[in-house]
Structures are given as C-alpha cells and as structure tokens.
Amino acid sequence: MLGDMELSYDRERVKKAIVRNLAEVNNGLLKLTAYNKLCEVEFSYEEMSFFAITGQALYNDMLVNVFQVLDVHPNADSFWYVESIIPVDIRSAAKSCNASIEQVKEFSSKFLYVRNKTPNKIVKCIIENSRDAWTHAGISADEFTRT
C-alpha cells in the first residue's frame, strides 16, 4: 500500500537541493584547503598584496558556501530544507559518516553567531576581528571541517 502512495514533496526539487548543497560543501572545503595551504607558505607581503587579497577571498567565499548550506530561511533549498523533507534519509546518511543531525544543529546555531558578527554582512554590530567571533562561538577548526 505504501508503494502506491503519492509522494507529498517535489522529488526533483529535493534532488536539485541535494546536488547544490553537496557542491557548496565541496567548494567550501576546496577553498578551505587552498586557504590553509596559502597560510602555510611563509612569505612577506603588504596588506593589499595579491596573496593577502587571495587569502581573504578564499576565506570569505568559503564562509559564503557554508552560510548557503546552513541557511534557515523557509524559501532556501538548504540542508535544513532537505532535512525537513527527508529526515530519515538524512539521519541515516549522517550516521554513516559518524555524524548526527544534533551535531549539525549545534554547529549551525554557533555558526549563525559567526555569520552575524563578522563583516560578511552589513550590520550595525560586527566584531572587528573575526577570530573573536569564532572563539566566542566556540567553533574550532577541527569542528568546522568535520561538520
């Protein structure tokens, strides 16, 4: 009987959302890797050198990728949209990666603080040093990469 039931969601939209979210995560991880490699290189540079601008661009773009995946707006086809439509599948996939949705929810709320307190948005109250936002949110580099 369950096989005869109509699906109550747009399968194509969910598929496209999954593909887009995976692409955003992949792009974010590539930019994080490139940023980390750039930071490992010992070079002398002026504040507005090619390397400084490149590092800042990689860092900011990586954050945008993660912001898009964790967007909580109801019209966004983010991870949270997919999780709300097919929660059993998402929990199963998370478990296969030794992760949990609760872990992602906790990270997401901490990351929202970073988004709201760093200059990636035009807001009245930002923190001058984005490292302070990461410290205050309690997000380590390992947690960021793992999540």
Side-chain angles (χ1 to χ4, degrees):
M1 178 150 195
L2 286 177
D4 296 333
M5 291 178 56
E6 292 278 329
L7 293 176
S8 61
Y9 63 89
D10 182 344
R11 289 176 57 136
E12 284 305 309
R13 179 179 173 191
V14 172
K15 284 181 187 179
K16 287 178 182 177
I18 291 169
V19 168
R20 175 63 190 258
N21 280 279
L22 289 173
E24 291 293 335
V25 168
N26 186 58
N27 285 336
L29 288 172
L30 289 172
K31 291 168 188 166
L32 177 61
T33 301
Y35 174 77
N36 287 338
K37 291 294 182 187
L38 183 63
C39 290
E40 288 174 7
V41 176
E42 293 183 28
F43 57 85
S44 176
Y45 62 87
E46 297 296 320
E47 205 168 299
M48 293 306 292
S49 75
F50 171 78
F51 294 108
I53 293 168
T54 301
Q56 184 179 20
L58 287 168
Y59 176 82
N60 289 338
D61 282 357
M62 179 262 311
L63 291 179
V64 169
N65 292 129
V66 179
F67 294 152
Q68 289 177 340
V69 170
L70 297 177
D71 193 341
V72 295
H73 290 95
N75 61 343
D77 285 353
S78 68
F79 171 80
W80 296 118
Y81 162 74
V82 176
E83 194 271 338
S84 73
I85 299 297
I86 53 171
V88 174
D89 296 316
I90 294 299
R91 288 181 186 278
S92 176
K95 187 176 180 180
S96 74
C97 299
N98 295 318
S100 72
I101 298 306
E102 290 71 28
Q103 223 176 7
V104 178
K105 282 181 183 175
E106 181 182 333
F107 174 84
S108 189
S109 67
K110 293 191 289 187
F111 195 64
L112 183 62
Y113 175 84
V114 172
R115 188 197 84 188
N116 290 336
K117 294 295 182 178
T118 56
N120 292 296
K121 293 177 54 176
I122 299 174
V123 294
K124 289 182 182 178
C125 177
I126 64 168
I127 294 176
E128 294 281 331
N129 182 350
S130 66
R131 288 184 186 192
D132 292 344
W134 291 97
T135 301
H136 186 272
I139 300 174
S140 68
D142 288 340
E143 179 184 11
F144 181 84
T145 304
R146 181 179 60 248
T147 305

